[in-house]
Amino acid sequence: MVNTAVTLEKEKIKSFLLPENRDVDISVFESIDSTNTEAKRRLENGDKRTMLICAEGQTAGRGRHGKSFYSPEKTGVYFTLVIHPDIPLSLAARATTAAAVSVVEAIRELTDKKPLIKWVNDVFLDGKKICGILTEAVSPTDRTKAESLIIGIGINISTSLFPDEIKDTASSLGENELDKNELIARICNYLFGYAESLNNPTHIEKYKKYSLVLGKEITYEKNGRAFFARAVDIDENGSLKVETENGIETLDSGEISIKLSDK
């Protein structure tokens, strides 16, 4: 079902932002190739503003590891927040965990749904993915620092039809009256707050609280091989600690893919 009750409007989004966050430059598109790609274009052209780029639909939505992100018009929200934290590049992954917590908290405030986080960057509801997050660090001058962070978030609000390749794993909030402007703003309000403390992250305990995988038996892939383990902890950088037959191993987001074990 298409969510036509509300459309994205720049001034409405701004009205839901906290006063201290309203100086962000907001753009709204009916359709765009990718909000993250648009953010990259602007940064490459020298735009150094804090930016929020939103779209009703994407024709070339992007996910992690070069995958596409299904982004049909009107049934979801797709947006990118560009911030300039000037933090060590090694800490950039913390923005992904902060974004995931922000999405969960905003959804729980605005609906009766209780989504959880599937490590590292997906939000799930009732066992299916409803949200994906893609964070990209930009460090054009100092390769040791993340001078800008491009934080892309896509949420299925009322999407009911999915391509065959994801129809068994993807779902939506099932909310046809949800004000998408308020949802975006609330997520950004949380994310702005967490972004101020990426050097000393304040959101990790909440990330663990909302985790779908902690305490569960999982399988993960690394270097082309599948392994079984038990997820036992998440550290301040968002790395997953797992217990294997050989002891504790720390998994970084760039190295593995993960799914709940059927065992």
Side-chain angles (χ1 to χ4, degrees):
M1 185 177 294
V2 175
N3 181 9
T4 57
V6 291
T7 57
L8 294 180
E9 296 182 27
K10 175 179 175 179
E11 291 306 316
K12 282 189 176 181
I13 295 171
K14 182 172 289 188
S15 72
F16 288 115
L17 289 172
L18 295 174
E20 61 266 30
N21 298 331
R22 289 176 185 166
D23 59 348
V24 61
D25 181 76
I26 304 173
S27 300
V28 172
F29 295 87
E30 183 174 343
S31 181
I32 197 171
D33 53 353
S34 159
T35 56
N36 268 34
T37 300
E38 173 66 11
K40 280 189 172 182
R41 286 192 288 259
R42 295 186 183 189
L43 289 173
E44 289 171 357
N45 288 330
D47 196 334
K48 298 300 183 182
R49 294 174 295 178
T50 301
M51 295 176 276
L52 175 58
I53 304 167
C54 312
E56 295 273 9
Q58 296 181 123
T59 58
R62 296 165 49 224
R64 295 176 69 237
H65 306 308
K67 295 180 181 179
S68 62
F69 186 87
Y70 182 57
S71 313
E73 289 187 22
K74 305 297 184 183
T75 67
V77 291
Y78 320 101
F79 61 100
T80 295
L81 183 65
V82 181
I83 59 176
H84 310 282
D86 197 28
I87 59 173
L89 193 58
S90 60
L91 303 185
R94 293 180 179 180
T96 297
T97 54
V101 171
S102 299
V103 169
V104 168
E105 293 191 314
I107 290 174
R108 286 177 174 235
E109 282 185 353
L110 293 175
T111 75
D112 61 355
K113 306 297 170 60
K114 305 297 182 184
L116 297 170
I117 301 167
K118 178 176 177 286
W119 187 83
V120 61
N121 68 316
D122 294 331
V123 176
F124 270 50
L125 181 66
D126 299 328
K128 292 188 175 183
K129 178 177 175 177
I130 62 167
C131 168
I133 298 164
L134 176 62
T135 300
E136 301 176 274
V138 179
S139 52
T141 57
D142 185 345
R143 298 299 179 180
T144 67
K145 289 188 176 182
E147 297 175 22
S148 300
L149 289 176
I150 299 171
I151 307 169
I153 298 173
I155 307 173
N156 303 324
I157 303 296
S158 59
T159 314
S160 58
L161 298 176
F162 294 91
D164 288 344
E165 61 268 25
I166 61 171
K167 67 180 182 181
D168 294 328
T169 57
S171 185
S172 74
L173 279 173
E175 296 283 338
N176 298 307
E177 303 297 326
L178 182 62
D179 189 330
K180 295 182 286 188
N181 300 284
E182 184 174 10
L183 177 61
I184 290 173
R186 289 212 185 193
I187 292 170
C188 289
N189 283 332
Y190 276 116
L191 193 44
F192 275 125
Y194 293 136
E196 293 178 354
S197 58
L198 290 180
N199 281 300
N200 183 25
T202 59
H203 65 277
I204 291 298
E205 288 305 313
K206 290 182 178 179
Y207 186 86
K208 291 194 283 187
K209 173 185 174 182
Y210 297 134
S211 173
L212 180 65
V213 301
L214 282 183
K216 303 287 183 61
E217 300 295 323
I218 64 168
T219 62
Y220 65 93
E221 295 179 10
K222 188 174 182 180
N223 300 325
R225 294 181 57 195
F227 298 86
F228 293 96
R230 182 173 180 269
V232 295
D233 199 8
I234 296 167
D235 70 18
E236 64 180 10
N237 292 320
S239 297
L240 182 66
K241 293 184 179 296
V242 298
E243 184 177 20
T244 71
E245 59 184 10
N246 298 318
I248 301 296
E249 183 175 356
T250 300
L251 307 179
D252 295 322
S253 61
E255 298 176 357
I256 65 102
S257 59
I258 188 170
K259 62 180 180 180
L260 296 180
S261 174
D262 294 328
K263 292 178 63 179

